[in-house]
Amino acid sequence: MNETALPNYLQEGTSLGSWLLTRDHKRIALLYMFAITFFFVIGGIAATFFRLELVTPKGDLVEAATYNRLFSLHGIVMVWLFLIPSIPAVFGNFLVPLMIGAKDLAFPRLNLLSWYLFMAGGTIIIGSAVLGSVDTGWTFYTPYSSLYSNSHVVAAVTGVFIVGFSSILTGLNFIVTIHKMRAPGMRWGRLPLFIWSQYATSIINVLATPVLAMTLALIALENLTDLGIFNPWKGGDPLLFQHLFWFYSHPAVYIMILPAMGVVSEVITCFARKRVFGYNFIAGSSLAIAFIGFMVWGHHMFVSGQSPYAGLVFSFLSMLVAVPSAIKVFNWTTTLYQGSILLSAPMLYVIGFIGLFTIGGLTGIFVATLAIDVHVHDTYFVVAHFHYIMVGGAVMAYFGALHFWWPKMFGRMYPESWARLAAIMIFVGFNLTFFPQFVLGYQGMPRRYHSYAPEFQVWNVLSSAGASILAVGYLLPFIYMAWSWKYAPRSGPNPWPATGLEWQVPSPPSKDNFSGIPHIEDEVYAYDQLFGKSDEPHSAPS
């Protein structure tokens, strides 16, 4: 049967039951997308309130305890309910089978279960916020979360605990699918770099997330019983929590950024109209980041009293992880060299990613240096560094992926001029929000304080002004994507045009993705075959 004659996956039932009981990886991806969008809005509203509080030095909008709950809610929701699941759960679910020539993921029922676990955990976390939230920050540091706990810590960690199992199941599904369900001819050396990034991320998810689950379970156990685990009055050790927490949570940074790097590799080679430079190095660097990421947790504890010799080792290892990250940036930049570059919206997001991630990575070397970290520890410098990686990197890539694969997911284009405007506003708003925080941190303003010295006000006003531009930039895609869903012109199967199996099926794809088993004969990213080696620029898609 001709693939264009098959009904697409959106037409396979429109009832609520057909969505809530679906085992189609593409529909589950959309369920994740709607859920994380909701949580993104919740986290954004919390950030709006505490940025308004920081416009003036005095704590005159909310009380200190409320401020603590606002930044805790923002961090918990953004990290656990948006950043970690965003690209893997949405675009990984949608694209992994399509990119490797499979009908679905290896365990479709497990995939649906992972979404239900995610929703159950997310509901409990939001429920804890409704009951009064927590004031420990997203890190749940002891003794704030144990000995001196005065908020709904047990409920919140229970939610995160359940969400963690969702990540484990998704990672397990991806690993088995990539190993066992590749189409004939899809050798490891022909896998798209997005698949390599998902593979590396899944390994971290499966190996590191159980440690987080165990740590959070111990917190709940200590709060609910008389056991002394982290409480020194009962023979426990509060630093043990930091070791366990960061053993997961530093690799978790790569759970958030590795999939984003996969998106960048796909977009940049498409809109440069060139085969990606250094395929083997980019694929290998994903695995290297995943491996080294397990050995750097101690750099979060330079001022905790750990051995200075341990600090030296962790400092060296933290700088070592910059090497594979730099390999990716250099290879992406070299891919652009002599390319026929199209500055479409996905490409603007990706170029923004490279610039912001580079700043975040370079400042990461600062905080990996023992002496500098002592000066900037727990200041806004760390906040800025973290957000340049997570928001400037992962969120920019998420929006880049959304604009790149939106026509494939829904079969419709979007207004390109509005999309470019949103990308530029997000880039400008982001830098105005977070670059002043580097200055604030270097000048000594500690984070997590709802009032501050008057000399810091100018930088805080600039930061809050940038946040307002950033908010508008984030709002625009919600509006034109919602409009596009129903009114935008329909897209063909390959609107950019791009290489890759997902672009060889109709937009949107059919329920089973392919009418038959595809046989892969071409090398990956064969843009020279598609466009030739002419230096003439290629036209943008209409």
Side-chain angles (χ1 to χ4, degrees):
M1 180 183 286
N2 186 339
E3 290 193 36
T4 57
L6 295 171
N8 67 58
Y9 76 100
L10 296 172
Q11 297 167 334
E12 295 281 344
T14 55
S15 66
L16 187 61
S18 71
W19 281 90
L20 295 181
L21 299 176
T22 184
R23 282 171 282 165
D24 185 341
H25 65 100
K26 300 180 288 298
R27 285 192 166 211
I28 295 172
L30 295 195
L31 291 175
Y32 268 112
M33 187 171 76
F34 297 137
I36 68 165
T37 301
F38 169 75
F39 292 129
F40 182 78
V41 172
I42 297 289
I45 290 171
T48 301
F49 277 105
F50 67 71
R51 279 312 324 168
L52 286 173
E53 169 60 65
L54 292 172
V55 169
T56 57
K58 293 182 179 178
D60 43 13
L61 181 63
V62 295
E63 295 180 352
T66 306
Y67 181 84
N68 290 347
R69 284 167 165 76
L70 285 171
F71 74 67
S72 298
L73 177 65
H74 169 74
I76 292 168
V77 168
M78 285 302 198
V79 170
W80 310 111
L81 301 181
F82 177 76
L83 284 168
I84 286 180
S86 59
I87 295 177
V90 176
F91 297 104
N93 259 315
F94 195 93
L95 293 168
V96 166
L98 281 166
M99 282 183 161
I100 65 172
K103 179 180 175 181
D104 205 321
L105 289 172
F107 308 113
R109 288 186 177 84
L110 209 61
N111 197 21
L112 181 61
L113 174 62
S114 71
W115 181 75
Y116 275 106
L117 287 174
F118 175 74
M119 292 305 298
T123 303
I124 293 173
I125 291 171
I126 299 301
S128 73
V130 172
L131 292 174
S133 196
V134 296
D135 57 0
T136 62
W138 72 276
T139 53
F140 299 111
Y141 265 19
T142 55
Y144 303 125
S145 59
S146 55
L147 182 62
Y148 299 112
S149 170
N150 58 1
S151 54
H152 297 273
V153 171
V154 174
V157 298
T158 302
V160 176
F161 178 87
I162 295 172
V163 167
F165 280 94
S166 169
S167 297
I168 293 171
L169 295 184
T170 300
L172 181 67
N173 223 339
F174 285 176
I175 290 172
V176 176
T177 303
I178 294 168
H179 270 274
K180 307 299 286 187
M181 297 179 67
R182 301 194 308 276
M186 180 63 82
R187 304 191 303 261
W188 286 93
R190 287 177 174 170
L191 283 176
L193 289 166
F194 182 77
I195 298 295
W196 277 107
S197 71
Q198 290 293 333
Y199 185 72
T201 305
S202 299
I203 291 173
I204 302 174
N205 264 328
V206 171
L207 295 181
T209 309
V211 178
L212 173 74
M214 178 186 70
T215 309
L216 297 179
L218 290 175
I219 283 186
L221 203 61
E222 187 169 82
N223 276 276
L224 297 174
T225 70
D226 200 34
L227 279 177
I229 302 167
F230 305 119
N231 184 350
W233 293 103
K234 299 177 182 176
D237 183 357
L239 280 186
L240 174 63
F241 174 84
Q242 293 190 34
H243 280 291
L244 294 172
F245 179 83
W246 288 116
F247 182 81
Y248 162 80
S249 292
H250 195 83
V253 170
Y254 304 116
I255 292 175
M256 300 178 235
I257 202 66
L258 272 171
M261 292 171 163
V263 171
V264 172
S265 298
E266 297 297 323
V267 173
I268 208 162
T269 184
C270 172
F271 290 98
R273 301 307 193 216
K274 274 183 65 184
R275 187 187 297 271
V276 69
F277 184 85
Y279 170 91
N280 292 333
F281 287 99
I282 296 179
S285 63
S286 294
L287 298 177
I289 289 172
F291 176 71
I292 301 172
F294 278 104
M295 299 185 290
V296 302
W297 79 90
H299 77 229
H300 295 274
M301 302 170 60
F302 284 158
V303 298
S304 68
Q306 73 178 3
S307 157
Y309 300 108
L312 279 174
V313 172
F314 282 122
S315 176
F316 171 77
L317 290 170
S318 300
M319 293 188 183
L320 191 63
V321 81
V323 175
S325 301
I327 286 172
K328 286 183 181 293
V329 172
F330 290 138
N331 280 284
W332 293 329
T333 309
T334 310
T335 302
L336 292 174
Y337 179 65
Q338 290 191 338
S340 299
I341 298 169
L342 300 177
L343 293 178
S344 297
M347 188 64 159
L348 291 181
Y349 280 106
V350 162
I351 291 174
F353 170 98
I354 294 175
L356 300 178
F357 175 76
T358 301
I359 294 173
L362 290 173
T363 52
I365 296 175
F366 291 15
V367 294
T369 307
L370 277 165
I372 298 177
D373 185 76
V374 170
H375 175 64
V376 300
H377 190 85
D378 266 346
T379 69
Y380 267 89
F381 190 94
V382 176
V383 177
H385 158 69
F386 182 77
H387 282 79
Y388 263 83
I389 297 291
M390 293 296 96
V391 182
V395 178
M396 286 291 277
Y398 177 79
F399 277 91
L402 186 67
H403 288 78
F404 187 51
W405 283 295
W406 179 271
K408 180 57 59 184
M409 298 171 86
F410 297 102
R412 292 185 183 273
M413 298 302 294
Y414 49 79
E416 176 70 19
S417 55
W418 282 102
R420 291 180 185 179
L421 176 64
I424 293 169
M425 286 189 70
I426 290 173
F427 183 81
V428 172
F430 174 85
N431 279 293
L432 188 56
T433 303
F434 292 104
F435 199 85
Q437 294 182 16
F438 279 127
V439 181
L440 282 170
Y442 189 76
Q443 290 180 344
M445 179 173 170
R447 62 177 176 173
R448 298 180 175 175
Y449 279 59
H450 88 309
S451 59
Y452 54 85
E455 58 263 34
F456 296 136
Q457 185 175 16
V458 171
W459 298 108
N460 274 296
V461 169
L462 284 174
S463 188
S464 294
S468 64
I469 297 173
L470 192 59
V472 175
Y474 285 146
L475 183 62
L476 282 177
F478 286 101
I479 296 172
Y480 63 71
M481 290 297 193
W483 174 87
S484 155
W485 200 345
K486 195 165 184 179
Y487 300 107
R490 294 191 180 278
S491 68
N494 193 358
W496 299 124
T499 64
L501 275 181
E502 78 271 27
W503 300 108
Q504 296 177 22
V505 297
S507 302
S510 64
K511 179 176 180 296
D512 293 333
N513 296 338
F514 304 93
S515 58
I517 300 175
H519 291 260
I520 315 303
E521 297 178 354
D522 295 332
E523 296 301 318
V524 68
Y525 306 121
Y527 283 98
D528 49 350
Q529 295 177 21
L530 194 62
F531 294 103
K533 296 183 178 179
S534 169
D535 290 335
E536 292 295 322
H538 305 285
S539 60
S542 58

